[in-house]
């Protein structure tokens, strides 16, 4: 998920897959029978190059569905994560919403009354298969409109060689298990003393600042919302978290040469795979990238401020169905999409986590290769906290965090003021 954030942004224009032709994104007149229905689907691309584009997955899925449902044609347009949300917004604004969209947020469309609920679409079996925390995150006022597509949790990655050379990991040790932020600070100081360019990468740039910030606030005993799901961005715990990052990590020169507010997640990942970063928070995609460059790494839960247990952050990307008069056909296609074999085919391809209980159990049962490495992420998923995606203000809050949170952790920054401003905007948006 790009920040959402599982996705690997793919460049280029949309990849158009039409059931009856590959010459364009529109259905060809005369090739659709009077009683046939064409479902228009918009999806995000999780590939990082044309060879592993998600377009191939959707093409195979559409063809398999059409064989079982000859009265329904599936037309899929796949866009990069950098443009897919905007494309759907443009289509909705023009009165040409797709039947189904797989994008990063749903709540604003649900609040506007444009979406079918999952109860109107899915079979009981499919609806009940969603992992509980993901299903709950797809609800607006207790009604589920957002269907989780894939999910992810985050872990702290560390470079085994760099930490070993710096004396953080004893030579006879089988790994490293920091318990608190004091352990992170001490390790980062040793790495800095050993000449590591970036002891701890802190990507608070536009690409995924909302994710990095949420990870830290949860670990600090706070988070974006309280137990009643009201905004708590400006809580005392969150202020203390940003003060720790400002004073102990950034202020002591432990986060490298690039200002956190100007460091994007993929740039931090790239530096890690080059052996320039000692520690950083990452999702499953980083495993493949690091392995491809021969970097030996370990993964642990991000320590909490004082060592007490706190929930990890989870992320989900969403599917929604717009009210275009094709409720029955959309429901059938979504039931097909969420069959275990189809879920597994996608999550295996991109080393992501499933959003369904059946898919989760299949991943847990898998052994060897990347499936075994995914187990720490899977373990953290059921108890994780997700973005408050059910709030119609979330999209704006996320953008506000991306633009401003980096300033809060710079030397001389004012965490309390930055958080108060973001929280005020969030509460005002929810009242309109």
């Amino acid at each position: 998920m790009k920040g959402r954030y599982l996705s690997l942004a793919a460049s280029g224009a949309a990849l158009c897959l039409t059931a009856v032709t590959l010459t364009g994104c529109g259905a060809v007149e005369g090739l659709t029978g009077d009683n046939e229905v064409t479902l228009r689907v918009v999806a995000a691309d999780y590939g990082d190059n044309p060879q592993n584009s998600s377009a191939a997955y959707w093409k195979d899925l559409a063809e398999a569905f059409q064989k079982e449902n000859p009265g329904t044609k599936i037309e899929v347009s796949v866009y990069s994560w950098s443009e897919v949300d905007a494309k759907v917004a443009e289509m909705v604004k023009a009165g040409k919403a797709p039947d189904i969209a797989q994008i990063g947020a749903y709540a604003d469309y649900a609040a506007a009354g444009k979406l079918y609920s999952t109860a109107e679409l899915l079979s009981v079996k499919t609806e009940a298969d969603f992992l509980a925390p993901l299903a709950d995150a797809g609800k607006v006022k207790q009604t589920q409109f957002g269907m989780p597509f894939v999910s992810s949790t985050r872990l702290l990655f560390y470079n085994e060689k760099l930490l070993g050379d710096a004396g953080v990991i004893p030579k006879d040790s089988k790994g490293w298990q920091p318990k608190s932020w004091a352990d992170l600070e001490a390790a980062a100081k040793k790495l800095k003393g050993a000449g590591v360019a970036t002891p701890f990468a802190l990507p608070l740039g536009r690409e995924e600042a909302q994710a990095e910030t949420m990870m830290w606030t949860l670990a600090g005993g706070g988070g974006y919302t309280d137990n009643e799901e009201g905004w708590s961005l400006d809580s005392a715990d969150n202020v203390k978290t940003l003060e720790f990052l400002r004073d102990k990590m950034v202020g002591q020169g432990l986060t490298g040469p690039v200002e956190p507010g100007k460091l994007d997640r993929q740039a931090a990942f790239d530096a890690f795979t080059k052996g320039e970063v000692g520690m950083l928070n990452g999702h499953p995609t980083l495993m493949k990238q690091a392995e491809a460059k021969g970097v030996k790494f370990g993964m642990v839960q991000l320590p909490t401020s004082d060592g007490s247990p706190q929930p990890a952050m989870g992320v989900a990307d969403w599917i929604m169905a717009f009210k275009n008069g094709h409720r029955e056909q959309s429901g059938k296609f979504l039931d097909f999409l969420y069959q275990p074999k189809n879920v597994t085919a996608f999550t295996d391809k991109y080393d992501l986590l499933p959003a369904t209980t059946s898919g989760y159990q299949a991943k847990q049962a898998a052994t060897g290769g990347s499936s075994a490495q995914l187990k720490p992420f899977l373990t953290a998923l059921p108890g994780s906290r997700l973005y408050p995606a059910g709030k119609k203000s979330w999209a704006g809050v996320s953008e506000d965090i991306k633009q401003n949170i980096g300033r809060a952790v710079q030397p001389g920054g004012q965490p309390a003021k930055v958080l108060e401003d973001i929280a005020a905007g969030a509460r005002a948006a929810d009242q309109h």
Side-chain angles (χ1 to χ4, degrees), residues 24 47 101 113 131 376 378 414 420:
L131 289 168
L378 285 164
Q414 302 180 52
E420 286 169 4

Side-chain angles (χ1 to χ4, degrees), residues 329-343:
Q329 294 87 352
S330 293
K332 284 184 178 181
F333 180 69
L334 291 167
D335 277 335
F336 185 80
L337 169 68
Y338 281 108
Q339 289 180 10
K341 64 179 181 180
N342 294 326
V343 170

Side-chain angles (χ1 to χ4, degrees), residues 65-316:
F65 177 79
Q66 288 165 170
K67 287 182 180 179
E68 296 184 13
N69 300 272
T72 304
K73 302 295 184 182
I74 307 298
E75 174 191 295
V76 186
S77 298
V78 177
Y79 295 93
S80 72
W81 267 113
S82 63
E83 59 182 347
V84 66
D85 289 297
K87 288 289 186 182
V88 171
E90 290 172 6
M91 295 169 75
V92 173
K93 186 176 181 180
K96 298 179 180 180
D99 293 287
I100 295 170
Q102 184 268 300
I103 51 178
Y106 67 88
D108 48 349
Y109 298 126
K114 296 182 180 296
L115 303 181
Y116 291 116
S117 69
T118 56
E120 294 175 296
L121 293 162
L122 304 177
S123 68
V124 173
K125 180 180 180 181
T126 300
E127 189 176 16
D129 198 27
F130 292 126
L131 289 168
L134 302 183
D136 288 342
K139 294 178 180 178
V140 173
K141 296 181 180 179
Q142 306 306 312
T143 299
Q144 186 179 352
F145 295 94
M147 290 161 274
F149 179 56
V150 286
S151 61
S152 176
T153 52
R154 305 299 166 91
L155 295 175
L156 175 67
F157 284 68
Y158 61 88
N159 183 306
E160 291 182 350
K161 184 179 187 305
L162 294 181
L163 268 67
D165 291 346
V168 177
I169 304 176
K171 290 185 178 181
D172 58 348
S173 175
K174 294 184 179 180
W176 182 52
Q177 189 63 58
K179 299 297 183 183
S180 69
W181 290 354
D183 294 336
L184 291 184
E185 180 187 352
K189 286 180 177 178
K190 289 185 177 180
L191 288 164
K192 183 180 180 182
V196 175
T198 304
F200 197 110
L202 186 64
L204 293 176
R206 283 190 52 81
E207 185 179 2
E208 208 181 34
Q210 81 288 353
E212 187 74 17
T213 303
M214 185 170 170
M215 280 181 267
W216 282 99
T217 57
L218 287 172
Y224 287 167
T225 56
D226 57 28
N227 290 334
E228 282 73 44
E229 295 306 312
W231 287 112
S232 60
L233 288 154
D234 51 353
S235 69
D237 286 331
N238 289 350
V239 172
K240 289 179 181 178
T241 293
L242 295 190
E243 288 176 344
F244 167 80
L245 294 176
R246 179 193 65 188
D247 299 336
K248 300 298 185 179
M249 302 302 286
V250 179
Q252 297 188 91
L254 304 180
T255 54
V258 181
E259 291 180 21
K262 297 180 180 178
L263 180 64
D264 281 339
R265 178 206 49 167
Q266 190 56 54
F269 280 15
D270 291 343
F272 185 80
T273 64
K274 295 175 182 177
E276 300 169 355
V277 172
M279 302 173 282
L280 81 170
N281 293 312
H283 55 62
T285 300
L286 181 55
M287 294 191 305
K288 278 190 173 180
Q289 294 180 10
E291 288 170 349
K293 295 296 181 66
V295 175
K296 293 187 179 299
F297 60 89
M299 301 180 297
V300 295
Q301 291 288 339
L302 176 66
T304 61
S305 56
D306 59 3
S308 61
Q310 299 293 345
M313 186 193 75
V315 181

